[in-house]
PDB file of all heavy atoms in Angstrom:
ATOM      1  N   THR U 174     -45.049  66.127 146.339  1.00 98.00           N
ATOM      2  CA  THR U 174     -44.203  65.993 147.490  1.00 98.00           C
ATOM      3  C   THR U 174     -43.173  64.861 147.284  1.00 98.00           C
ATOM      4  O   THR U 174     -41.982  65.062 147.678  1.00 98.00           O
ATOM      5  CB  THR U 174     -45.178  65.651 148.790  1.00 98.00           C
ATOM      6  OG1 THR U 174     -46.063  66.728 148.893  1.00 98.00           O
ATOM      7  CG2 THR U 174     -44.311  65.457 149.981  1.00 98.00           C
ATOM      8  N   ALA U 175     -43.626  63.841 146.722  1.00 98.00           N
ATOM      9  CA  ALA U 175     -42.679  62.668 146.568  1.00 98.00           C
ATOM     10  C   ALA U 175     -41.589  62.986 145.454  1.00 98.00           C
ATOM     11  O   ALA U 175     -40.432  62.725 145.717  1.00 98.00           O
ATOM     12  CB  ALA U 175     -43.463  61.459 145.958  1.00 98.00           C
ATOM     13  N   VAL U 176     -41.974  63.781 144.478  1.00 98.00           N
ATOM     14  CA  VAL U 176     -40.974  64.235 143.460  1.00 98.00           C
ATOM     15  C   VAL U 176     -40.024  65.185 144.159  1.00 98.00           C
ATOM     16  O   VAL U 176     -38.793  65.010 143.906  1.00 98.00           O
ATOM     17  CB  VAL U 176     -41.721  64.907 142.229  1.00 98.00           C
ATOM     18  CG1 VAL U 176     -40.678  65.632 141.412  1.00 98.00           C
ATOM     19  CG2 VAL U 176     -42.403  63.913 141.487  1.00 98.00           C
ATOM     20  N   ALA U 177     -40.503  66.065 144.893  1.00 98.00           N
ATOM     21  CA  ALA U 177     -39.562  67.076 145.626  1.00 98.00           C
ATOM     22  C   ALA U 177     -38.596  66.335 146.512  1.00 98.00           C
ATOM     23  O   ALA U 177     -37.381  66.710 146.573  1.00 98.00           O
ATOM     24  CB  ALA U 177     -40.357  68.117 146.360  1.00 98.00           C
ATOM     25  N   LYS U 178     -39.108  65.395 147.284  1.00 98.00           N
ATOM     26  CA  LYS U 178     -38.152  64.631 148.234  1.00 98.00           C
ATOM     27  C   LYS U 178     -37.168  63.849 147.407  1.00 98.00           C
ATOM     28  O   LYS U 178     -35.963  63.823 147.792  1.00 98.00           O
ATOM     29  CB  LYS U 178     -39.083  63.716 149.082  1.00 98.00           C
ATOM     30  CG  LYS U 178     -38.290  62.886 150.010  1.00 98.00           C
ATOM     31  CD  LYS U 178     -38.220  63.355 151.435  1.00 98.00           C
ATOM     32  CE  LYS U 178     -37.659  62.419 152.412  1.00 98.00           C
ATOM     33  NZ  LYS U 178     -36.374  62.650 152.853  1.00 98.00           N
ATOM     34  N   THR U 179     -37.609  63.229 146.294  1.00 98.00           N
ATOM     35  CA  THR U 179     -36.715  62.515 145.515  1.00 98.00           C
ATOM     36  C   THR U 179     -35.588  63.400 144.986  1.00 98.00           C
ATOM     37  O   THR U 179     -34.391  63.020 144.923  1.00 98.00           O
ATOM     38  CB  THR U 179     -37.473  61.759 144.366  1.00 98.00           C
ATOM     39  OG1 THR U 179     -38.455  60.948 144.898  1.00 98.00           O
ATOM     40  CG2 THR U 179     -36.490  60.952 143.500  1.00 98.00           C
ATOM     41  N   ARG U 180     -35.985  64.580 144.534  1.00 98.00           N
ATOM     42  CA  ARG U 180     -35.073  65.548 143.999  1.00 98.00           C
ATOM     43  C   ARG U 180     -34.103  66.021 145.023  1.00 98.00           C
ATOM     44  O   ARG U 180     -32.832  66.398 144.745  1.00 98.00           O
ATOM     45  CB  ARG U 180     -35.713  66.684 143.304  1.00 98.00           C
ATOM     46  CG  ARG U 180     -36.385  66.337 142.052  1.00 98.00           C
ATOM     47  CD  ARG U 180     -37.155  67.435 141.492  1.00 98.00           C
ATOM     48  NE  ARG U 180     -36.090  68.362 140.781  1.00 98.00           N
ATOM     49  CZ  ARG U 180     -36.390  69.624 140.452  1.00 98.00           C
ATOM     50  NH1 ARG U 180     -37.670  70.129 140.645  1.00 98.00           N
ATOM     51  NH2 ARG U 180     -35.547  70.364 139.915  1.00 98.00           N
ATOM     52  N   THR U 181     -34.469  66.142 146.286  1.00 98.00           N
ATOM     53  CA  THR U 181     -33.502  66.508 147.393  1.00 98.00           C
ATOM     54  C   THR U 181     -32.481  65.443 147.647  1.00 98.00           C
ATOM     55  O   THR U 181     -31.410  65.664 147.905  1.00 98.00           O
ATOM     56  CB  THR U 181     -34.200  66.938 148.624  1.00 98.00           C
ATOM     57  OG1 THR U 181     -34.924  65.864 149.144  1.00 98.00           O
ATOM     58  CG2 THR U 181     -35.120  68.233 148.451  1.00 98.00           C
ATOM     59  N   GLU U 182     -32.950  64.173 147.511  1.00 98.00           N
ATOM     60  CA  GLU U 182     -32.074  63.077 147.801  1.00 98.00           C
ATOM     61  C   GLU U 182     -31.132  62.783 146.717  1.00 98.00           C
ATOM     62  O   GLU U 182     -29.972  62.421 146.936  1.00 98.00           O
ATOM     63  CB  GLU U 182     -32.908  61.807 148.171  1.00 98.00           C
ATOM     64  CG  GLU U 182     -33.709  61.913 149.455  1.00 98.00           C
ATOM     65  CD  GLU U 182     -34.692  60.742 149.650  1.00 98.00           C
ATOM     66  OE1 GLU U 182     -34.682  59.828 148.741  1.00 98.00           O
ATOM     67  OE2 GLU U 182     -35.441  60.664 150.576  1.00 98.00           O
ATOM     68  N   LYS U 183     -31.648  62.799 145.489  1.00 97.00           N
ATOM     69  CA  LYS U 183     -30.895  62.457 144.210  1.00 97.00           C
ATOM     70  C   LYS U 183     -31.268  63.530 143.147  1.00 97.00           C
ATOM     71  O   LYS U 183     -32.251  63.387 142.374  1.00 97.00           O
ATOM     72  CB  LYS U 183     -31.244  61.148 143.665  1.00 97.00           C
ATOM     73  CG  LYS U 183     -30.830  59.986 144.592  1.00 97.00           C
ATOM     74  CD  LYS U 183     -29.329  59.604 144.596  1.00 97.00           C
ATOM     75  CE  LYS U 183     -28.947  59.027 143.258  1.00 97.00           C
ATOM     76  NZ  LYS U 183     -27.494  58.718 143.224  1.00 97.00           N
ATOM     77  N   PRO U 184     -30.553  64.680 143.102  1.00 97.00           N
ATOM     78  CA  PRO U 184     -30.948  65.791 142.246  1.00 97.00           C
ATOM     79  C   PRO U 184     -31.188  65.386 140.818  1.00 97.00           C
ATOM     80  O   PRO U 184     -30.421  64.536 140.256  1.00 97.00           O
ATOM     81  CB  PRO U 184     -29.834  66.785 142.435  1.00 97.00           C
ATOM     82  CG  PRO U 184     -29.321  66.479 143.683  1.00 97.00           C
ATOM     83  CD  PRO U 184     -29.326  64.922 143.875  1.00 97.00           C
ATOM     84  N   PHE U 185     -32.028  66.096 140.106  1.00 98.00           N
ATOM     85  CA  PHE U 185     -32.250  66.025 138.719  1.00 98.00           C
ATOM     86  C   PHE U 185     -33.114  67.150 138.305  1.00 98.00           C
ATOM     87  O   PHE U 185     -33.789  67.743 139.122  1.00 98.00           O
ATOM     88  CB  PHE U 185     -32.904  64.696 138.306  1.00 98.00           C
ATOM     89  CG  PHE U 185     -34.296  64.305 138.856  1.00 98.00           C
ATOM     90  CD1 PHE U 185     -35.481  64.765 138.162  1.00 98.00           C
ATOM     91  CD2 PHE U 185     -34.396  63.765 140.041  1.00 98.00           C
ATOM     92  CE1 PHE U 185     -36.713  64.484 138.768  1.00 98.00           C
ATOM     93  CE2 PHE U 185     -35.642  63.533 140.617  1.00 98.00           C
ATOM     94  CZ  PHE U 185     -36.813  63.814 139.916  1.00 98.00           C
ATOM     95  N   GLU U 186     -33.114  67.572 137.031  1.00 97.00           N
ATOM     96  CA  GLU U 186     -33.956  68.578 136.527  1.00 97.00           C
ATOM     97  C   GLU U 186     -35.152  67.990 135.848  1.00 97.00           C
ATOM     98  O   GLU U 186     -35.060  67.020 135.108  1.00 97.00           O
ATOM     99  CB  GLU U 186     -33.129  69.432 135.456  1.00 97.00           C
ATOM    100  CG  GLU U 186     -33.986  70.457 134.810  1.00 97.00           C
ATOM    101  CD  GLU U 186     -33.218  71.189 133.677  1.00 97.00           C
ATOM    102  OE1 GLU U 186     -32.001  71.241 133.644  1.00 97.00           O
ATOM    103  OE2 GLU U 186     -33.979  71.694 132.758  1.00 97.00           O
ATOM    104  N   ILE U 187     -36.344  68.557 136.095  1.00 98.00           N
ATOM    105  CA  ILE U 187     -37.582  68.163 135.448  1.00 98.00           C
ATOM    106  C   ILE U 187     -37.660  69.034 134.164  1.00 98.00           C
ATOM    107  O   ILE U 187     -38.048  70.184 134.255  1.00 98.00           O
ATOM    108  CB  ILE U 187     -38.780  68.183 136.291  1.00 98.00           C
ATOM    109  CG1 ILE U 187     -38.749  67.339 137.503  1.00 98.00           C
ATOM    110  CG2 ILE U 187     -40.035  67.892 135.514  1.00 98.00           C
ATOM    111  CD1 ILE U 187     -39.805  67.448 138.534  1.00 98.00           C
ATOM    112  N   THR U 188     -37.314  68.529 133.078  1.00 97.00           N
ATOM    113  CA  THR U 188     -37.322  69.311 131.754  1.00 97.00           C
ATOM    114  C   THR U 188     -38.729  69.580 131.416  1.00 97.00           C
ATOM    115  O   THR U 188     -39.127  70.609 130.830  1.00 97.00           O
ATOM    116  CB  THR U 188     -36.570  68.555 130.688  1.00 97.00           C
ATOM    117  OG1 THR U 188     -35.104  68.347 131.243  1.00 97.00           O
ATOM    118  CG2 THR U 188     -36.470  69.355 129.457  1.00 97.00           C
ATOM    119  N   ALA U 189     -39.566  68.466 131.482  1.00 98.00           N
ATOM    120  CA  ALA U 189     -40.967  68.599 131.127  1.00 98.00           C
ATOM    121  C   ALA U 189     -41.764  67.491 131.889  1.00 98.00           C
ATOM    122  O   ALA U 189     -41.117  66.487 132.293  1.00 98.00           O
ATOM    123  CB  ALA U 189     -41.170  68.476 129.667  1.00 98.00           C
ATOM    124  N   GLY U 190     -42.999  67.641 131.924  1.00 98.00           N
ATOM    125  CA  GLY U 190     -43.897  66.533 132.518  1.00 98.00           C
ATOM    126  C   GLY U 190     -45.353  66.831 132.357  1.00 98.00           C
ATOM    127  O   GLY U 190     -45.792  67.951 132.114  1.00 98.00           O
ATOM    128  N   VAL U 191     -46.052  65.748 132.454  1.00 98.00           N
ATOM    129  CA  VAL U 191     -47.553  65.974 132.481  1.00 98.00           C
ATOM    130  C   VAL U 191     -48.098  64.799 133.418  1.00 98.00           C
ATOM    131  O   VAL U 191     -47.557  63.586 133.373  1.00 98.00           O
ATOM    132  CB  VAL U 191     -48.143  65.758 131.040  1.00 98.00           C
ATOM    133  CG1 VAL U 191     -47.923  64.446 130.432  1.00 98.00           C
ATOM    134  CG2 VAL U 191     -49.582  66.073 131.030  1.00 98.00           C
ATOM    135  N   ILE U 192     -49.099  65.116 134.170  1.00 98.00           N
ATOM    136  CA  ILE U 192     -49.738  64.131 135.039  1.00 98.00           C
ATOM    137  C   ILE U 192     -51.161  63.925 134.536  1.00 98.00           C
ATOM    138  O   ILE U 192     -51.964  64.841 134.398  1.00 98.00           O
ATOM    139  CB  ILE U 192     -49.854  64.689 136.472  1.00 98.00           C
ATOM    140  CG1 ILE U 192     -48.427  65.090 137.013  1.00 98.00           C
ATOM    141  CG2 ILE U 192     -50.615  63.683 137.441  1.00 98.00           C
ATOM    142  CD1 ILE U 192     -48.492  65.890 138.370  1.00 98.00           C
TER     143      ILE U 192
END
Side-chain angles (χ1 to χ4, degrees):
T174 300
V176 168
K178 176 99 168 110
T179 302
R180 289 180 74 195
T181 61
E182 294 173 1
K183 296 285 285 181
F185 61 93
E186 177 188 335
I187 300 174
T188 305
V191 65
I192 304 169

